[in-house]
Amino acid sequence: MSRKKAAKGKAPNSSPSAGSPGGKGVGKAAWSSPSIVQMNGVVHPSRPSISSSSEFYDIAFKVMLVGDSGVGKTCLLVRFKDGAFLAGSFISTVGIDFRNKVLTIDGVKVKLQIWDTAGQERFRSVTHAYYRDAHALLLLYDVTNRSSFDNIQAWLTEIHEYAQQDVVLMLLGNKADATHNRVVKREDGEKLAKEFGVPFMETSARSGLNVELAFTAVAKELKHRSMKDSSEKFKLHEYVNKEMKGAGCCRT
Ligand SMILES: Nc1nc2c(ncn2[C@@H]2O[C@H](COP(=O)(O)OP(=O)(O)OP(=O)(O)O)[C@@H](O)[C@H]2O)c(=O)[nH]1
Ligand SMILES: [Mg+2]
């Protein structure tokens, strides 16, 4: 397997398929001409970056963060990417943004290109355009916000409408650290996830609870699927259940 180089902070590539989000409602990310092409569901760079901060990788996937505004999508991504929590005033994402991170999974360098979508309704059409190319979706609600949990069903309907049928999906109940403001029980999240057959865990961008695990689980599933190595059986549900730590604990 030849190893490629991951450009950090460069514009994401092929989505939506037109090559640009239409120039409408797009926020922080600078979109330019495609630098990655998609082959057999795995993303390969056609023009590797020479950026000094680049990291080599073997395979690449696109992961999208979705869910209501304020559930903590941006904070989760920043926690995963930089190991920090964005404290202070809430700055709602405009349009769509992205960050890259390379993980080593069983000796294979897996690049995740993580798209941080805007939860606000007015950007929904922008988000729709990106679903199609996503290999995995992390669907978030906020355990301190009931309506964000009640809206999960609507998000799932949208996902079924716009995303690939075989997209890897995981439900995350974020802000598990906020015990005093919690209004959604962990069991409620577990029940909903079971109903829809998706893996579930509670996370906290503030404490770091299960953040690394959520992205690693998705990367493992995508890597195993793309390698089609039948000698190695990987079950996302089983992996998540085995590795997951409760909200009372502190896995980072
Ligand atoms: N206590 C706690 N607060 C959090 C956590 N994650 C995010 N927040 C706070 O929740 C607010 C919203 O976080 P964001 O990450 O900006 O939310 P978002 O989902 O990206 O929102 P949009 O960009 O509008 O879709 C901010 O004030 C964060 O500080 C968490 O894990 N725990
Ligand atoms: Mg955001």
Side-chain angles (χ1 to χ4, degrees):
M1 183 168 21
S2 65
R3 195 154 275 188
K4 295 115 187 159
K5 231 173 180 190
K8 285 185 188 161
K10 288 278 161 69
N13 44 38
S14 55
S15 288
S17 44
S20 101
K24 189 169 73 144
V26 176
K28 298 169 199 163
W31 297 85
S32 64
S33 57
S35 60
I36 300 179
V37 293
Q38 211 173 334
M39 295 190 299
N40 303 325
V42 179
V43 186
H44 300 267
S46 57
R47 274 190 276 153
S49 164
I50 51 165
S51 156
S52 59
S53 59
S54 296
E55 246 185 283
F56 286 100
Y57 66 93
D58 300 304
I59 44 176
F61 300 101
K62 295 175 182 175
V63 179
M64 242 170 108
L65 297 171
V66 291
D68 277 9
S69 179
V71 296
K73 299 180 293 297
T74 300
C75 288
L76 196 85
L77 178 52
V78 170
R79 164 64 72 184
F80 177 59
K81 178 76 172 89
D82 303 326
F85 178 64
L86 281 180
S89 53
F90 166 32
I91 302 171
S92 199
T93 302
V94 174
I96 195 158
D97 202 354
F98 89 104
R99 307 288 285 274
N100 290 330
K101 181 148 172 165
V102 178
L103 302 176
T104 303
I105 308 286
D106 309 324
V108 176
K109 295 259 186 199
V110 180
K111 180 182 128 182
L112 297 182
Q113 183 181 88
I114 307 156
W115 298 352
D116 175 21
T117 66
Q120 287 181 48
E121 190 77 42
R122 65 195 170 110
F123 297 115
R124 216 43 65 80
S125 60
V126 178
T127 310
H128 289 167
Y130 289 85
Y131 274 117
R132 212 189 62 179
D133 287 338
H135 299 103
L137 297 170
L138 293 179
L139 173 57
L140 278 77
Y141 68 89
D142 170 357
V143 301
T144 71
N145 178 340
R146 186 83 211 176
S147 72
S148 74
F149 179 73
D150 293 339
N151 285 338
I152 288 297
Q153 201 138 345
W155 280 104
L156 287 167
T157 304
E158 186 164 306
I159 288 165
H160 287 133
E161 187 172 343
Y162 293 99
Q164 298 282 351
Q165 251 190 336
D166 64 346
V167 72
V168 174
L169 181 58
M170 195 182 300
L171 180 66
L172 304 179
N174 192 41
K175 306 195 189 178
D177 62 276
T179 43
H180 298 305
N181 298 323
R182 179 190 278 273
V183 292
V184 183
K185 289 192 239 138
R186 183 161 67 183
E187 300 80 69
D188 294 341
E190 282 167 351
K191 196 167 156 234
L192 187 72
K194 204 167 175 191
E195 207 176 298
F196 289 97
V198 293
F200 166 75
M201 66 180 79
E202 288 197 336
T203 56
S204 168
R206 182 183 282 272
S207 74
L209 176 83
N210 290 333
V211 174
E212 192 85 26
L213 174 61
F215 287 97
T216 304
V218 158
K220 270 183 175 278
E221 170 71 13
L222 292 169
K223 179 237 163 201
H224 280 259
R225 280 190 190 189
S226 78
M227 301 252 151
K228 292 191 177 74
D229 183 352
S230 54
S231 65
E232 272 183 79
K233 290 264 186 294
F234 180 76
K235 298 258 188 311
L236 183 57
H237 271 92
E238 283 173 18
Y239 177 77
V240 165
N241 290 339
K242 188 163 93 54
E243 298 287 321
M244 190 174 51
K245 295 287 194 295
C249 185
C250 43
R251 183 190 175 96
T252 55

